Coordinates of all heavy atoms in Angstrom, one line a residue:
A209 N -39.4 -26.1 30.7 CA -39.8 -24.9 31.4 C -41.0 -25.2 32.3 O -41.0 -24.8 33.5 CB -40.3 -23.9 30.3
R210 N -42.0 -26.0 31.9 CA -43.1 -26.3 32.7 C -42.7 -27.2 33.9 O -43.2 -27.1 35.0 CB -44.2 -26.9 32.0 CG -44.0 -28.3 31.5 CD -45.2 -29.0 30.9 NE -45.7 -28.2 29.8 CZ -46.9 -28.4 29.2 NH1 -47.6 -29.5 29.6 NH2 -47.3 -27.7 28.2
R211 N -41.7 -28.1 33.7 CA -41.2 -29.0 34.7 C -40.5 -28.2 35.8 O -40.7 -28.4 37.0 CB -40.4 -30.1 34.1 CG -41.2 -31.1 33.3 CD -40.3 -31.9 32.4 NE -41.1 -33.0 31.8 CZ -40.6 -33.7 30.7 NH1 -39.4 -33.5 30.2 NH2 -41.4 -34.7 30.2
V212 N -39.6 -27.3 35.4 CA -38.9 -26.5 36.3 C -39.9 -25.6 37.0 O -39.8 -25.3 38.3 CB -37.8 -25.6 35.6 CG1 -37.2 -24.6 36.5 CG2 -36.7 -26.6 35.1
G213 N -40.9 -25.1 36.3 CA -41.9 -24.2 36.9 C -42.7 -24.9 38.0 O -42.9 -24.4 39.1
A214 N -43.1 -26.2 37.7 CA -43.9 -26.9 38.7 C -43.0 -27.2 40.0 O -43.5 -27.0 41.1 CB -44.3 -28.3 38.1
V215 N -41.8 -27.6 39.8 CA -40.9 -27.8 41.0 C -40.7 -26.5 41.7 O -40.8 -26.5 43.0 CB -39.6 -28.5 40.5 CG1 -38.6 -28.6 41.7 CG2 -39.8 -29.8 39.8
G216 N -40.4 -25.5 41.0 CA -40.1 -24.2 41.6 C -41.3 -23.6 42.4 O -41.2 -23.1 43.5
L217 N -42.5 -23.8 41.8 CA -43.7 -23.3 42.4 C -44.1 -24.0 43.7 O -44.6 -23.4 44.6 CB -44.8 -23.2 41.4 CG -44.7 -22.0 40.4 CD1 -45.7 -22.1 39.3 CD2 -44.9 -20.7 41.2
I218 N -44.0 -25.4 43.7 CA -44.3 -26.1 44.9 C -43.3 -25.8 46.0 O -43.7 -25.7 47.2 CB -44.4 -27.6 44.6 CG1 -45.3 -28.3 45.7 CG2 -43.1 -28.3 44.6 CD1 -45.7 -29.7 45.3
L219 N -42.0 -25.5 45.6 CA -41.0 -25.1 46.5 C -41.4 -23.7 47.1 O -41.3 -23.5 48.3 CB -39.7 -25.1 45.9 CG -38.5 -24.5 46.7 CD1 -38.2 -25.4 47.9 CD2 -37.2 -24.4 45.8
L220 N -41.7 -22.8 46.2 CA -42.1 -21.5 46.6 C -43.3 -21.5 47.5 O -43.4 -20.7 48.5 CB -42.4 -20.6 45.4 CG -42.8 -19.1 45.7 CD1 -41.7 -18.4 46.4 CD2 -43.1 -18.4 44.4
G221 N -44.3 -22.3 47.2 CA -45.5 -22.4 48.0 C -45.2 -22.9 49.4 O -45.7 -22.4 50.4
A222 N -44.3 -23.9 49.5 CA -43.9 -24.4 50.8 C -43.2 -23.3 51.6 O -43.4 -23.1 52.8 CB -43.0 -25.6 50.7
L223 N -42.3 -22.5 50.9 CA -41.6 -21.4 51.6 C -42.6 -20.4 52.1 O -42.5 -19.9 53.2 CB -40.6 -20.8 50.6 CG -39.6 -19.8 51.1 CD1 -38.4 -19.7 50.2 CD2 -40.3 -18.4 51.1
V224 N -43.5 -20.0 51.2 CA -44.5 -19.0 51.6 C -45.4 -19.5 52.7 O -45.7 -18.8 53.7 CB -45.3 -18.5 50.4 CG1 -46.5 -17.6 50.8 CG2 -44.5 -17.8 49.4
G225 N -45.8 -20.8 52.6 CA -46.7 -21.3 53.7 C -46.0 -21.4 55.0 O -46.6 -21.1 56.0
A226 N -44.7 -21.8 55.0 CA -43.9 -21.8 56.3 C -43.8 -20.4 56.9 O -43.9 -20.2 58.1 CB -42.6 -22.5 56.0

Side-chain angles (χ1 to χ4, degrees):
R210 68 172 60 186
R211 289 164 173 167
V212 170
V215 175
L217 282 169
I218 203 167
L219 174 64
L220 179 62
L223 187 154
V224 172

